[in-house]
PDB file of all heavy atoms in Angstrom:
ATOM      1  N   ILE Q 918     -11.727  21.253   2.702  1.00 84.00           N
ATOM      2  CA  ILE Q 918     -10.787  22.311   2.354  1.00 84.00           C
ATOM      3  C   ILE Q 918     -11.524  23.641   2.322  1.00 84.00           C
ATOM      4  O   ILE Q 918     -12.518  23.801   1.617  1.00 84.00           O
ATOM      5  CB  ILE Q 918     -10.129  22.056   0.986  1.00 84.00           C
ATOM      6  CG1 ILE Q 918      -9.443  20.690   0.975  1.00 84.00           C
ATOM      7  CG2 ILE Q 918      -9.143  23.175   0.651  1.00 84.00           C
ATOM      8  CD1 ILE Q 918      -8.323  20.552   1.974  1.00 84.00           C
ATOM      9  N   LYS Q 935       3.736  32.601  -4.391  1.00 98.00           N
ATOM     10  CA  LYS Q 935       3.886  31.974  -5.695  1.00 98.00           C
ATOM     11  C   LYS Q 935       5.053  32.613  -6.438  1.00 98.00           C
ATOM     12  O   LYS Q 935       5.592  33.643  -6.016  1.00 98.00           O
ATOM     13  CB  LYS Q 935       2.593  32.093  -6.507  1.00 98.00           C
ATOM     14  CG  LYS Q 935       1.376  31.516  -5.768  1.00 98.00           C
ATOM     15  CD  LYS Q 935       0.103  31.624  -6.549  1.00 98.00           C
ATOM     16  CE  LYS Q 935      -1.109  31.272  -5.671  1.00 98.00           C
ATOM     17  NZ  LYS Q 935      -1.029  29.922  -5.112  1.00 98.00           N
ATOM     18  N   SER Q 959       9.446  47.997   0.793  1.00 98.00           N
ATOM     19  CA  SER Q 959      10.238  48.327   1.978  1.00 98.00           C
ATOM     20  C   SER Q 959       9.658  49.491   2.773  1.00 98.00           C
ATOM     21  O   SER Q 959       9.862  49.574   3.984  1.00 98.00           O
ATOM     22  CB  SER Q 959      11.676  48.646   1.571  1.00 98.00           C
ATOM     23  OG  SER Q 959      11.769  49.924   0.945  1.00 98.00           O
ATOM     24  N   PRO Q 963       2.008  51.872  -1.925  1.00 94.00           N
ATOM     25  CA  PRO Q 963       1.193  51.067  -2.846  1.00 94.00           C
ATOM     26  C   PRO Q 963       1.954  50.756  -4.119  1.00 94.00           C
ATOM     27  O   PRO Q 963       2.888  51.466  -4.503  1.00 94.00           O
ATOM     28  CB  PRO Q 963      -0.015  51.970  -3.124  1.00 94.00           C
ATOM     29  CG  PRO Q 963       0.467  53.361  -2.838  1.00 94.00           C
ATOM     30  CD  PRO Q 963       1.456  53.225  -1.728  1.00 94.00           C
ATOM     31  N   GLY Q 983      23.002  38.224  -8.867  1.00 92.00           N
ATOM     32  CA  GLY Q 983      24.098  37.450  -9.423  1.00 92.00           C
ATOM     33  C   GLY Q 983      25.008  38.252 -10.323  1.00 92.00           C
ATOM     34  O   GLY Q 983      26.118  37.807 -10.636  1.00 92.00           O
ATOM     35  N   HIS Q1004      14.914  47.573   5.573  1.00 98.00           N
ATOM     36  CA  HIS Q1004      14.012  46.450   5.303  1.00 98.00           C
ATOM     37  C   HIS Q1004      14.483  45.594   4.133  1.00 98.00           C
ATOM     38  O   HIS Q1004      13.748  44.700   3.699  1.00 98.00           O
ATOM     39  CB  HIS Q1004      12.602  46.968   5.000  1.00 98.00           C
ATOM     40  CG  HIS Q1004      11.825  47.351   6.222  1.00 98.00           C
ATOM     41  ND1 HIS Q1004      11.354  46.422   7.124  1.00 98.00           N
ATOM     42  CD2 HIS Q1004      11.452  48.564   6.701  1.00 98.00           C
ATOM     43  CE1 HIS Q1004      10.710  47.050   8.105  1.00 98.00           C
ATOM     44  NE2 HIS Q1004      10.758  48.353   7.875  1.00 98.00           N
ATOM     45  N   GLU Q1011      22.034  29.826  -2.276  1.00 89.00           N
ATOM     46  CA  GLU Q1011      20.696  29.237  -2.272  1.00 89.00           C
ATOM     47  C   GLU Q1011      20.011  29.513  -0.937  1.00 89.00           C
ATOM     48  O   GLU Q1011      20.656  29.627   0.104  1.00 89.00           O
ATOM     49  CB  GLU Q1011      20.791  27.728  -2.495  1.00 89.00           C
ATOM     50  CG  GLU Q1011      21.137  27.337  -3.914  1.00 89.00           C
ATOM     51  CD  GLU Q1011      21.066  25.835  -4.090  1.00 89.00           C
ATOM     52  OE1 GLU Q1011      22.091  25.173  -3.848  1.00 89.00           O
ATOM     53  OE2 GLU Q1011      19.989  25.332  -4.463  1.00 89.00           O
ATOM     54  N   ARG Q1019      13.129  33.992   9.824  1.00 91.00           N
ATOM     55  CA  ARG Q1019      13.353  35.144  10.699  1.00 91.00           C
ATOM     56  C   ARG Q1019      12.914  36.454  10.037  1.00 91.00           C
ATOM     57  O   ARG Q1019      12.268  37.287  10.671  1.00 91.00           O
ATOM     58  CB  ARG Q1019      14.836  35.237  11.072  1.00 91.00           C
ATOM     59  CG  ARG Q1019      15.166  36.428  11.982  1.00 91.00           C
ATOM     60  CD  ARG Q1019      16.597  36.368  12.457  1.00 91.00           C
ATOM     61  NE  ARG Q1019      17.540  36.460  11.352  1.00 91.00           N
ATOM     62  CZ  ARG Q1019      18.012  37.639  10.897  1.00 91.00           C
ATOM     63  NH1 ARG Q1019      17.602  38.771  11.431  1.00 91.00           N
ATOM     64  NH2 ARG Q1019      18.874  37.655   9.905  1.00 91.00           N
ATOM     65  N   GLU Q1039      23.600  20.632 -10.366  1.00 60.00           N
ATOM     66  CA  GLU Q1039      23.151  19.248 -10.511  1.00 60.00           C
ATOM     67  C   GLU Q1039      21.664  19.183 -10.820  1.00 60.00           C
ATOM     68  O   GLU Q1039      21.143  18.153 -11.217  1.00 60.00           O
ATOM     69  CB  GLU Q1039      23.450  18.445  -9.243  1.00 60.00           C
ATOM     70  CG  GLU Q1039      22.588  18.785  -8.033  1.00 60.00           C
ATOM     71  CD  GLU Q1039      23.081  20.019  -7.285  1.00 60.00           C
ATOM     72  OE1 GLU Q1039      24.060  20.625  -7.768  1.00 60.00           O
ATOM     73  OE2 GLU Q1039      22.494  20.359  -6.233  1.00 60.00           O
ATOM     74  N   GLY Q1080       5.386  26.352 -17.069  1.00 93.00           N
ATOM     75  CA  GLY Q1080       4.114  25.989 -16.464  1.00 93.00           C
ATOM     76  C   GLY Q1080       4.065  26.222 -14.972  1.00 93.00           C
ATOM     77  O   GLY Q1080       2.984  26.330 -14.389  1.00 93.00           O
ATOM     78  N   VAL Q1091       9.114  51.163 -25.292  1.00 95.00           N
ATOM     79  CA  VAL Q1091       8.141  51.888 -26.110  1.00 95.00           C
ATOM     80  C   VAL Q1091       8.753  53.232 -26.478  1.00 95.00           C
ATOM     81  O   VAL Q1091       9.867  53.562 -26.059  1.00 95.00           O
ATOM     82  CB  VAL Q1091       6.796  52.084 -25.365  1.00 95.00           C
ATOM     83  CG1 VAL Q1091       6.108  50.754 -25.151  1.00 95.00           C
ATOM     84  CG2 VAL Q1091       7.003  52.793 -24.040  1.00 95.00           C
TER      85      VAL Q1091
END
Side-chain angles (χ1 to χ4, degrees):
I918 304 298
K935 304 180 190 302
S959 74
H1004 281 290
E1011 287 186 272
R1019 180 173 63 89
E1039 71 278 3
V1091 293

